[in-house]
Amino acid sequence: VEVAGIQQVLHQAGLRVVATTPDRPESSLPDLSVDLTIFEPSSGRLEYKQVQRTLASVRRKSPTTLLLALADTEWPSQVARAMILGAHDYLLKSDPVEFLVSAVQRALSGTNPAVGNRISRMQEWLHATGVADSRIPEMTTREQQVLRHLGVGLANQEIARSLQVSVETVKELVQSLLRKLGADDRTA
């Protein structure tokens, strides 16, 4: 689904698209009250920083805007980053258009996302505890959560935001995990 196709589908559902921002700097975003922003998470670190800046600009201009992620793939790191950015739901461009319309309508009506949506599954998994493998050293609940976040490739700042702790706390937990796992660094 491309931007023009999304606009047409939403228009047919009785929704109004007030702006699109492909390849536009945040400073050129219109000064409008926006109910919902559909954004595309990116796979690269630099692209992700641009998405962060653009969404921060949207939120400064319209603090209550809801976010929906629309992507090509369901990579765990992308779903996790969309969750951390505050996405209400994460949809694939290959999903039926009815999914997009339904997700938009649920978000705008204040209804929870569909049961088992990608964001809630990722949130449950990242915040789950318990390690079934007896070969893994004893870890605290928080260490288990940090390990899951590391497993999907998140940076310390992203982990801190997800777990609502300081970046320093995350650094300490990562160091503790490295010691317990006998690893020299987080890429080992």
Side-chain angles (χ1 to χ4, degrees):
V1 180
E2 296 300 319
V3 172
I6 292 170
Q7 286 180 298
Q8 182 179 1
V9 166
L10 295 176
H11 179 73
Q12 289 171 348
L15 300 164
R16 188 170 74 116
V17 176
V18 295
T20 60
T21 61
D23 304 320
R24 288 170 54 180
E26 314 83 70
S27 60
S28 70
L29 294 174
D31 287 324
L32 299 169
S33 176
V34 179
D35 296 321
L36 178 80
T37 299
I38 299 172
F39 71 97
E40 184 171 2
S42 60
S43 56
R45 212 36 107 188
L46 293 175
E47 294 171 19
Y48 175 68
K49 295 288 186 193
Q50 180 62 39
V51 170
Q52 279 183 305
R53 284 191 298 273
T54 301
L55 291 178
S57 179
V58 168
R59 284 241 162 105
R60 274 192 303 278
K61 294 176 181 189
S62 190
T64 59
T65 190
L66 298 167
L67 303 175
L68 281 182
L70 183 65
D72 292 319
T73 63
E74 192 176 351
W75 291 341
S77 59
Q78 281 190 334
V79 178
R81 287 188 174 112
M83 178 199 80
I84 291 165
L85 289 170
H88 189 261
D89 208 342
Y90 186 100
L91 304 166
L92 296 178
K93 292 179 180 179
S94 60
D95 286 341
V97 293
E98 297 81 22
F99 282 27
L100 173 63
V101 172
S102 177
V104 168
Q105 290 171 334
R106 279 193 310 273
L108 292 173
S109 70
T111 306
N112 288 333
V115 174
N117 75 72
R118 293 172 180 98
I119 292 289
S120 63
R121 286 194 322 251
M122 177 59 69
Q123 194 163 28
E124 289 168 11
W125 185 79
L126 286 174
H127 294 95
T129 59
V131 179
D133 192 334
S134 61
R135 297 172 294 167
I136 297 177
E138 182 104 10
M139 288 184 262
T140 67
T141 298
R142 200 52 108 182
E143 287 171 338
Q144 292 172 35
Q145 292 170 338
V146 168
L147 186 59
R148 288 176 185 270
H149 284 73
L150 291 171
V152 295
L154 299 181
N156 289 347
Q157 188 172 10
E158 294 168 319
I159 297 168
R161 187 169 177 188
S162 173
L163 295 176
Q164 299 179 347
V165 298
S166 72
V167 174
E168 289 305 315
T169 297
V170 172
K171 289 179 182 178
E172 290 298 323
L173 289 164
V174 168
Q175 289 305 311
S176 176
L177 283 168
L178 293 176
R179 283 190 300 276
K180 286 182 178 183
L181 297 173
D184 294 327
D185 59 46
R186 64 197 292 161
T187 62

